[in-house]
Amino acid sequence: MSYTLPQIAEILDAILDGNAAHGPVTGINTMKSAGPGEISFLTNAKYSNEVKETQACAVICSEKFAGLPKEGTAALRCKDPHMAYAKALELFYQPPKYVPIIHPTASIHPTSHIGSNAHIGPYAVIGPNVRIGDNSVILAHVAIYEGVTIGNDSFAHAHAVVRENCRIGDRVVIQNGVILGGDGFGFAQDKATKRWHKIPQTGILVIGDDVEIQSNTCIDRAALGEAHIDRGVKIDNLVQVGHGCNIGENTLLVSQVGLAGSTEIGKNSILAGQVGVVGHLRIGDNVVVTAQSGIPGDVPDGSIVSGSPAFENKQWLRTIAVFQKLPELAKKIRALGNTEKK
Amino acid sequence: MSYTLPQIAEILDAILDGNAAHGPVTGINTMKSAGPGEISFLTNAKYSNEVKETQACAVICSEKFAGLPKEGTAALRCKDPHMAYAKALELFYQPPKYVPIIHPTASIHPTSHIGSNAHIGPYAVIGPNVRIGDNSVILAHVAIYEGVTIGNDSFAHAHAVVRENCRIGDRVVIQNGVILGGDGFGFAQDKATKRWHKIPQTGILVIGDDVEIQSNTCIDRAALGEAHIDRGVKIDNLVQVGHGCNIGENTLLVSQVGLAGSTEIGKNSILAGQVGVVGHLRIGDNVVVTAQSGIPGDVPDGSIVSGSPAFENKQWLRTIAVFQKLPELAKKIRALGNTEKK
Amino acid sequence: MSYTLPQIAEILDAILDGNAAHGPVTGINTMKSAGPGEISFLTNAKYSNEVKETQACAVICSEKFAGLPKEGTAALRCKDPHMAYAKALELFYQPPKYVPIIHPTASIHPTSHIGSNAHIGPYAVIGPNVRIGDNSVILAHVAIYEGVTIGNDSFAHAHAVVRENCRIGDRVVIQNGVILGGDGFGFAQDKATKRWHKIPQTGILVIGDDVEIQSNTCIDRAALGEAHIDRGVKIDNLVQVGHGCNIGENTLLVSQVGLAGSTEIGKNSILAGQVGVVGHLRIGDNVVVTAQSGIPGDVPDGSIVSGSPAFENKQWLRTIAVFQKLPELAKKIRALGNTEKK
C-alpha cells in the first residue's frame, strides 16, 4: 500500500501545508523512527521538539502548530490530530484475518447456535444453549458457559471466559483472559460462628454494543437481576467491576480501576488508573477521577475529583502543594508558639 | 417453585408483619423491580426510601424497621436480614448442575486418582499423582499440575490453575483464571553484575476447607515450607498474595488487595479493596483495614486502621478533615506570622 | 542428597564458624521448622531472635552476625547471605522436569518451527509462522499467536498467552495467565458523538533474555513500533504495563504496579507494590519508588521517591510524620489565633 501526500490529506480531512511533491508514502512511524517515505504525528505537546529532527515527509499536527512545515517535512493540519492519527494507522495496517471456520477440536454443545461466517478456534468450549452471532470470532481456549448470547461481529481473544446466561452485544471486543460474569463477592456472616455463608449470585451481566474489555479484567454478574455495561464503554487491563454495577455509554475505566458492588457510573466519564470506588454510590456523567483516587460517596455530573478520599480537583491541587511543605509549616507554628511564650 | 409468605417467614426464621393472605410467592427481586408476586429485601439503609414505591408483597428487613408494613407490602422482620436475604435467594435459585462425568477430551495422567461422582470438563489437564476428591467439579481448561490434592465437593471454574504439589481442602471454590501456587517473587541480586538470580520456590500452598477464591486472583506458593489460607477465608477478584503468607480463618480479602511475602493475618479480619501490605509483618485477629490503605508494620488485634501509611482509623478521619483544609490553614499561619512582624 | 557442613560452606563460599563435626545435612528449612539434620538462614534482621530457638545444625548469616555460633548450631558466614540462601535452596531442590515431547493434542500450525528438545504440552495452540527455540517448554493451554518467536531455554507456564508477532528472548520465564502483547488502551474520541474509535495497535512487544514475568501480568504491545522489556527485568504478579513502554535491564516491578502508556524506566530500578505511573515520562536508572506511590513526572537517576503524587523520600517521611498530627496542629493554630485576638 502506498499513497501520495495529497491523497493522505484528503483521507484524513487534513490541510497539507508544505511540500506536496513527495513520492509515495508507504507507512507511518514515530518522529524519531520515521524515514522520508513515511508520515508521522504530533498528538502530545510533550514531543513537539522532535519535529526538528524528524525525517518524516509529513507530520499530522493541530491546525495552528507553528513548528512545521520545515524543509523536507510538510504539516498535515487536522482539527482532531488524535483521530487523524488513528485513521492514518488504519491506512497502513493489515489486521490479522480469521476466516470462517469451526475448528474440529472446538467443543460445541449440540444445542448451541453458531452464526454464519463465524470463526471458532481450537479447543474453544461452548456450552448448552449458547447463541453466537454472524461473523463473530471466538479464539483458542475461550470458554462460553451455558445460556450465553453473543451478538454479531464480536471478537473473543484466547482464554476469555463468559459465564452462565450473560448477554454480549454486537461488535464487542473481549481481550485475553477477561472473565465476564464471574460470581460477585457476596457472603453473609453467621454471627455466632463468624463463618461466611455464600450468597448465590443469581443475576447476569449484560454488555452493550461496541464495548471493549481488555486483558485479565473481571466484571462480575449481578447478585440479582442484571448488571449493565452500556454501549461504547472501554475498559483497560486488570480492572475489577464488582457485582451489580451499571456503567453508562462511552465511559472509560483505565487499568487497575476497582469498583465495589452496586456502583453506578454515568455517561462519558473517565476513571484514571488505580482509582477505587467503595460501591453503593453514583458517579455522574462527564466526570473525571484522576489516578489513584478513592471515591467514598456520590460524585455530581461534570466534576473533576482527586485524592483518597477524593474531593474537588482544584482544591486538591492546592492542598497537595501545602502538604509537601508540612514540615516547614510545623516549624513555623512552633516558632510562632515560642515567640508568644516570651 | 412457589411458597406462601408464612412458609417463607418460617424458612427465614422471620416474623411476618402485615398481610399474610397473599397468593403464592414465586421469586425475589430488588425493591425497584419486584412485582406483587415477589418478595424483596432491605439490607442497606441507603435504600430505605425504596420501600415506599416497591410493589413486592413483602420485604426482608431488620426487626425494628419502621417503614413497613404498608398496604400490599408486609415486613419479614429478621435478626440478621443479610443472612435471610442469602437464604431467600437460595429458595428460588437453581444453580447450574454438573453431572458426574469425565469428558473424553480431558487429559488425565494415569497415575492420578479421580474421586467418585466427580465432573471433569473438556480439555481439563490433570498431571501425574494428582488426587481429586468425591463430587468435585473441574471445568474446562483447568490445569492441575503434578502432585496436587483437591478434597471433596470442591469446584474449579474454567481456566483455574493449581501448581505443583499444592493441597486444596473440601468445599473449596476456585473461580475462573485463579492461579494457586505460582512462583513467588524471589530473586537475589548479584552485587557485581546487578543481575537477579532466581531463588527456587520450593514450598507449597495449602488451602483449607470452605475457602473461596475469585477470578484472576494469584496466591503464590511458599519459597520454603508451606503457605496457608485457613478455613473459611474468602478472597475477591484480582488479589495478590505473595509467597509464604498465612491467613487465618474467616478473614476477607477484598478485590485488588496486595500482600507482599511473609504476611501473617489472623482470624476474622477484613482488608478492604486495594489495600497494600509490605510483608514480613503480622495483622491480628478482628482487624479492619479500610480501602486503599497501606500497612507498613504490625497491626494489633481488633484495630481499625486507615491511610497510606495506615494508622488508627478515628485519628485518620480527623486528620483527613484537616488535610482538605490545608490551604486555608497555611493562609492563617501566614497571617499570624505577618501580624507578629508588625 | 546430603552434604557435610564443610561441603556446604565451600559451595556457598561461606566461612563455617562453629561445630563442623556434624553428620550429613539433608535439607534447608526455616529456623522454626529446621531439625538438627538441616541448615537454616537469617536474611532479614527481623527474625534474629529465632536463632536462639532453632535446632538447625547451621544458619546462613552475615559475616559479622554476633548471635551465632551456639551449642549445636554453627554459623555459615557469607558476604551475601541472600544469594547464599538462593544457592542453598538449589542444593536440595529438584525442580519438575519436562522431557522433550510434543503432546499429541497440541495444535501446531504446519508453518511453525519447534526447536530440538522442546516440550509442548497438551492443548497448547501454536499459530502460523511461530518459531520456538531449543529446549523451551510450553505447557498446557498456552496460546501462541501467529508470527511469534521464542528463544532457547524459555518456559511458558499453563495458560500463558503471547500475541501476534511478539519476540521473546532466551531463558525467559512466563508464569501462568500472563498476557504478552495484548492491545493497548488506545481510543480517539469523536468529538460530536462522544464515541471512542479504536486506534489499531500495530506494534509489537520485545522481551529480552533472562526476563521473568509472573502470574496474570499484562504487558501490552506498542501502538506503533516496538515496546521493550530489557534483559534481566523481573515482573511480579498482576502488573500492568501499558502500550509502548520501555524498561531497562534488571529493573524490578513488584506486584500490582501499573504503568500507563509510553513510560520509560532505566536500569536497576525498583518500583514497589501498587505503584502507579501516569505515562509519557521517564524514570531513571537506580531509582526506588516505594509502595503505593504515584509518579506524575520524570524521576532522575538515583532518586528514592514516595507518596501520591510522589516526591523525595526523606522529605516525604518528615511530611507523613507531621500529617498524622494535623488535628493537633490545627488546634495549635486556633489557639494562636485566639491569643492574638485578646
Side-chain angles (χ1 to χ4, degrees), chain A residues 105 123 141 145 163 177 184 191 195-198 216 220 240 256 258 280 293-294 308 315 319 336 339, chain B residues 46-47 80 90 93 123 141 157-159 175-176 212 214 216 231 237 250 255-256 292 323-324 340:
Chain A
T105 63
Y123 305 126
H141 306 119
Y145 282 57
R163 290 281 299 270
K191 302 285 190 289
R195 294 196 185 173
W196 297 97
H197 182 88
K198 184 173 173 81
N216 281 350
D220 289 342
Q240 149 71 358
Q256 295 176 323
H280 291 283
S293 299
S308 174
Q315 174 72 359
T319 302
L336 285 168
T339 321
Chain B
K46 259 196 162 171
Y47 301 104
D80 186 346
E90 288 167 11
Y93 179 60
Y123 305 125
H141 305 120
H157 270 281
H159 289 221
Q175 299 276 347
N176 310 88
E212 177 158 347
Q214 299 199 330
N216 281 349
R231 185 165 76 171
N237 299 341
N250 304 320
S255 179
Q256 295 177 321
Q292 293 191 322
F323 172 74
Q324 300 186 4
E340 199 150 295

Side-chain angles (χ1 to χ4, degrees), chain C residues 224-237:
Chain C
L224 187 62
E226 297 180 357
H228 289 91
I229 309 296
D230 289 349
R231 186 166 76 170
V233 168
K234 310 292 182 185
I235 304 182
D236 200 352
N237 299 342

Side-chain angles (χ1 to χ4, degrees), chain B residues 195-217:
Chain B
R195 292 196 186 175
W196 297 97
H197 182 88
K198 184 172 175 83
I199 300 172
Q201 303 293 302
T202 69
I204 65 165
L205 171 66
V206 179
I207 305 279
D209 298 337
D210 301 301
V211 169
E212 177 158 347
I213 302 153
Q214 299 199 330
S215 305
N216 281 349
T217 278

